[in-house]
Amino acid sequence: IRVAVIVVAAGSGERLGQGQPKAQAALGSEPLLVHALRGVLAAHVAEFLCVVVPRGDVELRAVCARIDPSIRTVDGGSTRSDSVSNALAVLPANIDAVLVHDAARPLTPEEVFHRVRNALEAGAQAVIPALAVVDTIKTAQPSTEREIAPEQVHTTPQRDVLRAVQTPQGFDLATLRAAHEAASMFNDAQAAAITDDAMLVESQGVPVYIVRGSELSLKITTPIDLLIAEAMLEGPAA
Ligand code: C5P
């Protein structure tokens, strides 16, 4: 199969608090996006690589050109899902499948890309890497991470059925395009509630398969995550 990789790097980085797009934040001596792109290139899975950057951002475009001049860049949208749609619109005609990867996961090991790609090659329409959940998870009122007020627990899902989902998420291209097409009818609240591509595909009744993710594939969201990633870069591999 011919695979395109879409790296979404158009997030604002508000929760990281550095006053710059998250993909520009430094990890060691390079921006997060450089680490993420090196991971994608080292995995040798991409026939075509597209990076979604914040609208008008010249720095991240320059980063892409420096890493590999053949990388295509497109402007992001107001939600993650809009950003992915913008990239889906520019893929070449001969592509069969797409891996959507977060620039916010700079240390994803090559094996994870391979596991996702191999499952697609074996015929899966949708594949996501995930890990078992270690915390007990409760449900409560909708909130953002920063605004947890005293509140009442709603339910406690059984922990052994929960999975923490990572990227790259892999899809048959026609399947992902159809799911994004259906989502274009969503109102703003519905659109904002879409936190990954697999959700869109699930809502179309497509089976989504899980392969093993990696503890190394952490997502950089808040400052503590950057500290952990710095330690992972310097120290012996976990
Ligand atoms: O916001 P969150 O951390 O869930 O974002 C996950 C990934 O989606 C990040 O790599 C971010 O750059 C990307 N994103 C995007 N466009 C948006 C929002 C997020 O490309 N509008």
Side-chain angles (χ1 to χ4, degrees), residues 8-12 15 22 52 76-80 83 101-104 195 219-221:
V8 281
S12 65
R15 292 167 293 180
K22 180 158 63 182
V52 189
S78 55
T79 64
R80 182 186 187 283
S83 291
H101 186 48
D102 287 346
T195 51
K219 181 175 170 213
I220 308 296
T221 306

Side-chain angles (χ1 to χ4, degrees), residues 104-126:
R105 295 185 192 272
L107 301 178
T108 303
E110 288 169 35
E111 309 87 77
V112 179
F113 288 92
H114 297 158
R115 286 198 275 273
V116 172
R117 191 211 139 93
N118 291 347
L120 290 170
E121 194 130 50
Q125 281 178 281

